């Protein structure tokens, strides 16, 4: 149910709020990796390469959905913390209307342009048809993706991280079962993987949106809330647009990187596809927990309790570092085993690529996790220019260095080395920007 994040010991409040988020991370990643796991195990290496190739394109659409999520979530958090419930309801409906229009435009662009985009990133001919088929089906499910993200953003803004966890747990489990059913029993190949995702996203969206409507009805206001507010749309856009740009540029950067990687053949493509799934498990975990820090920060900003922000940042860093350690140890010591979950009878080229990728990136999880927590505070407080500066620095460094180093004797190893460099420079920037915030001279924040 709704939880006030502006009272109680900050570390206890934040960790209690983030615990269901951590569970959601696990199921979200199961949702994300199920398609690749089933494709690699039951269809083959080329199918895994096709799904992995398509995944980089789907991240562009997810960037817009995530931006709408964050814009709605931060503004609703601030209004909830300030006890302005009428405006809060209007913010939710405004976000839904704007998201519907944006989603329609993206669907049109996706239907018309995905084939060209796949050509642009040098998709091998043997993987092109399967990649295009997967994307065509995925695009028709975009409304489910958008409105599910809006719903989960509202729940998080109200301090409720448990309800989204329950929805996600059910849909992720169903997605895996349907993937296996459609591929093995019905012999649908890559199309079966895509349709399983489509159906599970649809059910999750309908249930989550219905639950949000019921929750908001229970919040009493003196008079009915307007359906739309241009002023609130502007406030949402201040958070959403930079978040969309951040995720979009990351996605575009990943597509550029995918194009460079595709030049090394399907073995390296498959190894990278498996490795990036495991890496995204970690980075998405940090990002999800950082989103919790954003909600915590936004509620306390709305309640004008700046003294609690610093304590929230320290608690967030402590939490992500505790998560970084076992994942780092797992990938360094048992990376081959983890990769084998995605690759059935893998080539040495694919397996070696994935192992090298994980061993180069995993020591720097402690660095990037601190950056993402600092970003969470910056986003929750509305300091979006600082947030964007560090993110774009990371992206530009990664893309430029990967493109250059791939042409050296390092080959594909040079691509993987670009990640730690970008993470380190951007982390220094984000932590510095956090340290200059209005909470820098506040107390420990225990009220």
């Amino acid at each position: 149910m709704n939880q006030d994040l502006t009272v109680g010991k900050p570390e206890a409040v934040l960790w209690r709020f983030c615990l269901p988020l951590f569970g959601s991370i696990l199921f979200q990643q199961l949702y994300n990796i199920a398609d690749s796991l089933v494709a690699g195990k039951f269809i083959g290496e080329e199918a895994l390469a096709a799904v992995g190739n398509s995944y980089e394109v789907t991240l562009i659409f997810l960037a817009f959905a995530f931006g709408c999520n964050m814009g709605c979530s931060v503004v609703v958090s601030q209004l909830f913390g300030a006890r302005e419930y009428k405006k809060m309801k209007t913010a939710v409906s405004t976000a839904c209307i704007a998201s519907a229009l944006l989603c329609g435009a993206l669907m049109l662009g996706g239907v018309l342009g995905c084939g060209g985009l796949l050509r642009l990133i040098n998709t091998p001919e043997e993987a092109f048809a399967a990649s295009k088929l997967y994307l065509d089906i995925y695009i028709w499910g975009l409304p489910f993706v958008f409105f599910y993200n809006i719903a989960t953003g509202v729940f998080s803004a109200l301090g409720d991280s448990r309800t989204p966890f329950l929805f996600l747990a059910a849909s992720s489990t169903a997605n895996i079962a349907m993937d296996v059913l459609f591929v093995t029993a019905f012999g649908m190949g890559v199309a079966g993987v895509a349709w399983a995702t489509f159906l599970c996203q649809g059910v999750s969206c309908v249930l989550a949106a219905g639950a949000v409507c019921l929750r908001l009805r229970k919040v009493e206001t003196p008079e009915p809330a307007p359906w739309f507010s241009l002023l609130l749309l502007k406030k949402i856009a201040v958070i959403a647009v930079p978040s969309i740009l951040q995720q979009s540029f990351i996605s575009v950067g990943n597509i550029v990187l995918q194009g460079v990687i595709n030049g090394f053949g399907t073995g390296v493509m498959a190894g990278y596809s498996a490795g990036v799934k495991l890496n995204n498990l970690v980075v998405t975990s940090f990002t999800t927990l950082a989103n919790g820090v954003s909600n915590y920060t936004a509620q306390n900003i709305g309640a004008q309790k700046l003294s609690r922000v610093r304590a929230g940042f320290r608690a967030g860093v402590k939490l992500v570092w505790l998560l970084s350690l076992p994942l780092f140890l797992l990938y360094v010591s048992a990376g081959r085993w983890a990769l084998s979950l995605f690759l059935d009878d893998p080539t040495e080229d694919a397996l070696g690529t994935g192992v090298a990728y994980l061993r180069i990136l995993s020591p720097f999880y402690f660095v990037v996790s601190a950056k993402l927590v600092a970003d969470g505070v910056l986003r929750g407080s509305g300091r979006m220019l600082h947030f964007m500066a560090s993110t774009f620095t990371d992206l530009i460094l990664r893309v430029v260095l990967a493109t250059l180093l791939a042409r050296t004797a390092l080959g594909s190893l040079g691509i993987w080395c670009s990640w730690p460099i970008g993470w380190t420079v951007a982390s220094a920037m984000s932590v510095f920007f956090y340290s200059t915030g209005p909470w820098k001279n506040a107390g420990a924040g225990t009220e």
Side-chain angles (χ1 to χ4, degrees), residues 54-67:
S54 302
Y55 177 71
E56 300 300 342
V57 179
T58 66
L59 288 178
I60 294 179
F61 301 119
L62 288 173
F64 284 86
F66 174 77

Side-chain angles (χ1 to χ4, degrees), residues 139-150:
I139 287 167
W140 289 106
L142 278 181
F144 300 142
V145 175
F146 268 76
F147 286 103
Y148 176 79
N149 271 274
I150 291 293

Side-chain angles (χ1 to χ4, degrees), residues 319-339:
L319 181 60
V320 294
W321 279 358
L322 286 173
L323 179 61
S324 297
L325 181 59
L327 291 169
F328 158 66
L329 294 175
L330 173 65
Y331 288 173
V332 168
S333 62
R336 293 178 75 90
W337 170 82
L339 290 163

Side-chain angles (χ1 to χ4, degrees), residues 75-426:
V75 172
V76 171
S77 289
Q78 292 176 349
L79 294 171
F80 182 69
R83 309 297 191 267
E84 297 186 45
Y85 300 132
K86 179 181 174 182
K87 287 185 178 180
M88 181 186 77
K89 289 186 175 184
T90 301
V92 174
S93 57
T94 298
C96 288
I97 293 169
S99 297
L101 295 174
L102 178 59
C103 180
L106 287 172
M107 290 179 70
L108 179 61
V111 168
L112 298 176
C114 272
L117 190 56
L118 288 172
R119 295 290 185 195
L120 186 64
I121 63 175
N122 302 319
T123 302
E125 199 60 41
E126 62 268 27
F128 183 87
S131 296
K132 179 70 164 55
L133 177 61
Y134 183 92
L135 286 175
D136 286 343
I137 297 170
Y138 181 89
I139 287 167
W140 289 106
L142 278 181
F144 300 142
V145 175
F146 268 76
F147 286 103
Y148 176 79
N149 271 274
I150 291 293
T152 56
V154 173
F155 281 124
S156 296
L158 300 177
D160 179 7
S161 53
R162 182 173 174 270
T163 300
F165 163 71
L166 295 176
F167 283 128
L168 195 55
S171 61
S172 298
T173 305
N175 185 48
I176 295 173
M178 293 181 70
D179 271 343
V180 175
L181 177 67
F182 287 179
V183 170
T184 61
F186 298 160
M188 296 174 64
V190 171
V193 171
W195 279 114
T197 300
F198 177 95
L199 294 173
C200 290
Q201 286 177 340
V203 173
S204 299
C205 172
V206 171
L207 293 175
V212 164
C213 292
L214 292 175
R215 182 71 58 85
L216 291 177
R217 284 182 182 179
K218 295 179 180 179
V219 179
E220 296 183 357
T221 55
E223 54 188 13
W227 281 95
F228 185 82
S229 167
L230 184 59
L231 178 60
L232 287 174
L233 177 61
K234 290 179 180 178
K235 289 184 177 181
I236 292 170
V238 166
I239 305 297
V241 171
S243 296
I244 290 171
L245 290 175
Q246 175 218 16
Q247 294 296 317
S248 296
F249 275 93
I250 288 175
S251 298
V252 170
N254 286 339
I255 287 176
V256 174
L257 292 175
Q258 185 73 52
V260 176
I261 293 162
N262 288 352
F264 288 89
T266 56
V268 172
M269 282 177 65
Y272 170 73
S273 179
V276 80
K277 290 290 185 181
L278 293 170
N279 180 63
N280 284 344
L281 167 65
V282 180
V283 175
T284 304
S285 299
F286 298 151
T287 302
T288 302
L289 294 174
N291 292 345
V293 174
S294 288
N295 291 124
Y296 169 89
T297 301
Q299 277 200 23
N300 282 282
I301 293 289
Q304 299 183 357
K305 294 185 177 182
L306 295 180
S307 61
R308 295 173 59 84
V309 175
R310 287 179 61 189
F313 172 76
R314 289 194 297 269
V317 170
K318 187 176 179 181
L319 181 60
V320 294
W321 279 358
L322 286 173
L323 179 61
S324 297
L325 181 59
L327 291 169
F328 158 66
L329 294 175
L330 173 65
Y331 288 173
V332 168
S333 62
R336 293 178 75 90
W337 170 82
L339 290 163
S340 68
L341 296 173
F342 299 92
L343 298 165
D344 187 27
D345 191 23
T347 62
E348 187 56 37
D349 195 19
L351 200 56
T353 295
V355 169
Y357 175 82
L358 292 176
R359 288 181 176 174
I360 290 172
L361 269 64
S362 59
F364 291 86
Y365 288 157
F366 300 94
V367 175
V368 71
S369 61
K371 173 196 182 301
L372 292 170
V373 173
D375 286 347
V377 176
L378 295 174
R379 188 169 48 218
S381 61
R383 304 184 79 197
M384 299 306 292
L385 290 178
H386 293 133
F387 167 75
M388 291 174 65
S390 65
T391 298
F392 291 163
T393 298
D394 174 25
L395 173 66
I396 293 169
L397 282 174
R398 264 194 283 160
V399 172
V400 172
L401 289 174
T403 304
L404 294 176
L405 294 175
R407 299 173 181 173
T408 69
L410 291 171
S412 61
L413 287 176
I415 303 174
W416 320 145
C417 290
S418 67
W419 262 266
I421 298 172
W423 283 352
T424 300
V425 174

